[in-house]
Amino acid sequence: MSDTASIRSIGIIGAGQMGNGIAHVCALAGYDVILNDIDQGRLDAALKTIEGNLARQAARNKISDVDRADTLARIRPTLELAEVGKADLVIEAATEDEALKKSIFQKLTEHLGPETLIASNTSSISITRLASITDRPERFMGMHFMNPVPMMKLVELIRGIATEDTTFNAVREVVKNLGKTSTAAEDFPAFIVNRILLPMINEAVYTLYEGVGSVDAIDTAMKLGANHPMGPLELADFIGLDTCLSVMQVLYDGLADTKYRPCPLLVKYVEAGWLGRKANRGFYDYRGDVPVPTR
C-alpha cells in the first residue's frame, strides 16, 4: 500500500477516552470510521462525547455546523470485530494491557483484508512484540495519540523491527491529514513522551510519599516554578493512576533500572481503586464542587 490515498476508512478498536477522540479527529478529517467496542454502553457514551466535543468546536467557530453533521455521519459504531477488519487502517485503542491487546490482535487478524494496515495506540508496550502476534508485522506500527486527542497536536509514530517504509509513510500521511504533527520514536519502552513524562509524575508521587510536600504544594510548585499548565499529580489523575502505574511497570521491567521503580504510594492508590478523575478520587477527591487534595 504505497499509495497513501488508498486509506479511506479507519477502524478503531476501543471506544474509551482515547478511542472516541481518535474517531472524532479521523471522521472530522474526512475518513469513514468504524468504531468498535465489546460494550454497547461504551459505544453510546463515545458517540455522545464526540457529539458534545463537536458542538463545542462549532460554538467556538472552529468547525461549521455542516462539518459537525458530516463528521457524526461518518462514524459507524459496531460490536462486531469483523466489521473493523474491512477498514484500510485499523487502530487499536484498548486498555494499556499487553495480554488484552495481544488477544485482540489474534482475533482481528482473521478478519483483515490483505492490504490492511494495523496500528496500536499503546503508550508504552513494545510494537515488535504486539506485531509478532499478527500475520503482518511489516504492516504494523505504533501510532500513539496524546490525550485529549481532539486538542493535542502530537502523534508519536513507532516502527517495530519489521515495519516497512510504505507502512510508516502511509500512516504518517494520515497523521498529516488529521492536522497533527508526528514524531518518530524508536521501539523502546514508553517511547519519547512517556519515557520522560511518567518518571516525572512518579517522582512527584515519591515527593508526596516522603513528605517533602503536600499534593497542593507539589502541584503549585511545578505550575508556578516550572510553568507547567497542570501540576504532576493533577496530571496523573487526568491520565489515570492505573495507566501511570502500567507505564512505570513497563519501563521498570523493560529497562531494569531502579530509577523507574513505581512509587509504593502510587501502587497503593491503584489498589484502593482511587484511579483519578475517572473514579472520582485519586490525588484529589472530585466528588464535590471543587477538587480537594486527598493528602
Side-chain angles (χ1 to χ4, degrees), residues 3 32 43 54 78 92 190 218 245 272 286:
D3 178 14
D32 291 322
L43 283 173
L54 286 167
T78 180
E92 169 273 316
I218 292 164
L245 178 58
Y286 300 93

Side-chain angles (χ1 to χ4, degrees), residues 41-211:
R42 272 206 295 265
L43 283 173
D44 295 341
L47 290 170
K48 198 172 171 186
T49 299
I50 294 166
E51 203 165 347
N53 288 339
L54 286 167
R56 264 196 294 282
Q57 285 180 309
R60 292 180 191 144
N61 294 319
K62 302 263 185 189
I63 62 172
S64 68
D65 284 333
V66 173
D67 289 335
R68 183 177 70 165
D70 287 351
T71 299
L72 279 171
R74 284 190 203 104
I75 301 172
R76 180 161 63 83
T78 180
L79 293 166
E80 302 300 322
L81 197 60
E83 290 298 304
V84 179
K86 296 173 182 173
D88 301 318
L89 166 66
V90 177
I91 303 171
E92 169 273 316
T95 308
E96 193 68 355
D97 176 309
E98 185 165 345
L100 172 68
K101 289 181 187 290
K102 282 181 170 176
S103 77
I104 288 169
F105 290 129
Q106 274 177 322
K107 290 172 194 157
L108 174 68
T109 299
E110 64 187 88
H111 302 299
L112 297 173
E115 299 291 309
T116 303
L117 303 182
I118 315 175
S120 174
N121 179 55
T122 178
S123 56
S124 61
I125 299 165
S126 164
I127 298 303
T128 298
R129 275 205 309 273
L130 293 177
S132 71
I133 295 297
T134 73
D135 64 346
R136 61 195 67 205
E138 70 286 350
R139 293 179 179 278
F140 190 111
M141 63 181 284
M143 192 180 188
H144 177 215
F145 288 82
M146 305 296 129
N147 186 27
V149 179
M151 290 172 63
M152 300 294 273
K153 291 288 184 193
L154 184 74
V155 182
E156 281 185 306
L157 297 182
I158 308 101
R159 293 172 186 259
I161 199 166
T163 307
E164 289 179 346
D165 286 349
T166 50
T167 302
F168 184 85
N169 293 337
V171 172
R172 184 172 57 185
E173 191 67 22
V174 169
V175 172
K176 189 177 169 188
N177 292 341
L178 300 181
K180 298 195 180 293
T181 300
S182 60
T183 54
E186 290 299 319
D187 187 20
F188 289 104
F191 319 130
I192 296 172
V193 173
N194 284 340
R195 171 83 178 256
I196 297 167
L197 178 66
L198 266 298
M200 184 197 78
I201 287 174
N202 194 51
E203 195 61 32
V205 183
Y206 266 115
T207 307
L208 178 66
Y209 176 61
E210 293 168 7

